[in-house]
Amino acid sequence: MVPLLFVLAIVFALAMLPQMWVGRVIARHSHDRPDIPGTVGQFARHLLDGMKLEHVKVEETKLGDHYDPEAKVIRLLPQHLNGRSLAALVIAAHETGHAMQDATGYQPLQARTRLAKQALKMEKVG
């Protein structure tokens, strides 16, 4: 029989190692680049306008990069919103992709949004 500690170590590795790897890649590409014209916030706005999503806002947050489907807002950390790094560009494009999914009624995003709301309610109850 496989020891419980070994199984827990495998589960921990599968849960944490990809997140750690992504964090290292983002950190490696977080320096501003002079060859990127404009800020990443301007880039996100350009992408949204090009997709006819003028109603979606782009704003600064300190709570982590995310797209809020209820408020129709892409929120980016200050260093990403005002930055000119490759990492910030990729993060903004990712969050803009969520706005596009929302606009097209992408079912997995809608399901994730419902689950997140339920999780917040349960957290408050707890």
Side-chain angles (χ1 to χ4, degrees), residues 22-88:
V22 168
R24 287 187 59 183
V25 170
I26 289 173
R28 188 176 331 132
H29 297 285
S30 288
H31 59 277
D32 280 353
R33 295 176 48 141
D35 59 330
I36 296 177
T39 67
V40 169
Q42 293 167 336
F43 170 72
R45 178 80 267 146
H46 175 74
L47 289 178
L48 291 166
D49 291 347
M51 292 185 285
K52 308 288 188 239
L53 297 175
E54 293 88 0
H55 63 284
V56 177
K57 296 177 184 167
V58 179
E59 63 186 33
E60 185 175 309
T61 186
K62 294 186 192 271
L63 301 176
D65 304 302
H66 64 281
Y67 171 67
D68 182 341
E70 287 190 342
K72 308 294 187 222
V73 176
I74 292 173
R75 296 191 175 106
L76 301 170
L77 293 169
Q79 66 268 28
H80 296 155
L81 180 70
N82 303 312
R84 295 169 188 260
S85 71
L86 182 58

Side-chain angles (χ1 to χ4, degrees), residues 5-24:
L5 190 57
F6 180 73
V7 172
L8 289 175
I10 296 293
V11 169
F12 178 79
L14 289 174
M16 298 304 292
L17 290 178
Q19 184 176 348
M20 292 168 61
W21 177 75
V22 168
R24 287 187 59 183

